[in-house]
Amino acid sequence: MPNIIEITDFTLPELGVFARLTEAQLRNRLEPEKGIFIAESPKVIALALDAGYEPVSLLMERKHILGDAKEIIARAGDIPVYTAERAVLAELTGFSLTRGVLCAMRRPKLPTAETLCTGARRVAVLEDIVDATNIGAIFRSAAALNIDAVLVSPSCCDPLNRRAVRVSMGTVFQVPWASIGEQASEWPGPGIDRLHKLGFRLAAMALSDEAVSVDDPQLMVEEKLAIIMGTEGTGLSAQTIAGCDYTVCIPMAHNVDSLNVAAASAVAFWQLKAR
């Protein structure tokens, strides 16, 4: 039986996950096993449930209880379902809810990079990408274009950030991912060494006079390739580029020097997919 709770008091502690806690506080880096993330919209929440993620509580417009969220509520068991009209929820959360439904879910225990990459032929490595929208779009491309796994550097935006999850359309639950290091000091040097030990050749996506084109035949025949994408402002660090086996660029027209990292990822994933 769903536990429907009409919101009458914004100070209710249980509403903190939706209204007052920052992304960092939700993540709870000091005690990761207590971490929470927020999934948004019935479709995305359903994909999280399909992937085995554990729901903690739901927040939704009243009309969705017997509407778009009816199936979600049935699948989630007897967790609290907090509800109110749209304007009240917007006042509570500070934003308009996409499709009117949020779900607080427990963060999973992530695998190691070594476990994640067992059997993988194509992995994406994201270095210090900070924009949640870009992270979400990259995961969506990774899922659609057959990337086996995604690794994120310690300073990268959290893939379970609410906006990243929403922009990914739930594909962050479908593509296996892990962090390649917990501290900033573990990337790039130690992380690059780990990838080489796992048998990957490394392709740094970067602008360079020495770069080969993304359609270079040698890249196509690599058995195991890690495609490394850099931060929005400055791209990959010089140390990362130096540690890679290839520097790779996407040929540009009309004097355009580069693409947004999310757009570049789609081109690279399509061209460099395992044959």
Side-chain angles (χ1 to χ4, degrees):
M1 286 288 293
N3 179 17
I4 308 296
I5 301 171
E6 185 76 24
I7 297 172
T8 58
D9 181 2
F10 281 10
T11 66
L12 192 67
E14 290 80 1
L15 293 175
V17 294
F18 300 112
R20 293 182 291 278
L21 298 185
T22 65
E23 289 286 347
Q25 289 169 328
L26 287 171
R27 190 172 182 177
N28 204 345
R29 293 186 70 107
L30 294 178
E31 297 182 87
E33 68 279 2
K34 296 182 180 179
I36 297 290
F37 71 93
I38 304 298
E40 188 174 359
S41 87
K43 179 178 179 179
V44 170
I45 295 166
L47 287 172
L49 293 173
D50 291 344
Y53 286 76
E54 179 186 352
V56 175
S57 60
L58 284 155
L59 179 76
M60 66 184 65
E61 291 181 56
R62 190 179 295 108
K63 68 179 182 180
H64 292 305
I65 294 174
L66 297 178
D68 291 349
K70 183 177 179 180
E71 183 179 336
I72 295 296
I73 293 172
R75 293 181 63 185
D78 60 356
I79 65 172
V81 179
Y82 299 100
T83 187
E85 294 299 326
R86 184 178 184 86
V88 174
L89 297 183
E91 183 181 354
L92 172 70
T93 62
F95 59 90
S96 295
L97 276 62
T98 300
R99 302 296 298 274
V101 183
L102 299 179
C103 185
M105 310 191 90
R106 298 200 186 281
R107 294 184 67 91
K109 180 176 175 59
L110 294 176
T112 65
E114 285 72 15
T115 299
L116 192 72
C117 291
T118 299
R121 295 187 59 199
R122 293 293 183 270
V123 301
V125 184
L126 311 184
E127 178 181 278
D128 301 352
I129 296 174
V130 297
D131 186 273
T133 300
N134 283 333
I135 291 291
I138 290 169
F139 266 87
R140 194 170 182 182
S141 294
L145 301 173
N146 210 28
I147 293 297
D148 297 312
V150 175
L151 298 172
V152 297
S153 75
S155 299
C156 202
C157 173
D158 176 20
L160 293 181
N161 172 287
R162 179 183 61 84
R163 182 171 294 179
V165 171
R166 176 169 58 80
V167 173
S168 82
M169 291 298 294
T171 53
V172 71
F173 308 127
Q174 297 173 315
V175 181
W177 67 276
S179 178
I180 186 155
E182 297 300 322
Q183 306 297 325
S185 59
E186 296 177 71
W187 180 267
I192 285 174
D193 290 343
R194 289 170 71 181
L195 289 168
H196 277 135
K197 288 177 181 176
L198 288 166
F200 285 95
R201 301 274 281 175
L202 275 55
M205 300 298 301
L207 300 175
S208 168
D209 292 339
E210 290 75 41
V212 299
S213 174
V214 72
D215 60 357
D216 187 285
Q218 183 58 43
L219 293 169
M220 304 301 120
V221 299
E222 289 290 359
E223 181 63 23
K224 300 179 70 173
L225 191 67
I227 304 162
I228 307 182
M229 317 290 297
T231 187
E232 293 86 350
T234 56
L236 290 172
S237 70
Q239 184 180 355
T240 298
I241 295 170
C244 290
D245 304 286
Y246 299 97
T247 303
V248 180
C249 68
I250 299 169
M252 298 282 148
H254 301 292
N255 296 316
V256 176
D257 63 353
S258 64
L259 295 173
N260 165 273
V261 65
S265 74
V267 175
F269 297 164
W270 167 256
Q271 184 62 47
L272 300 175
K273 63 185 178 181
R275 265 63 177 182

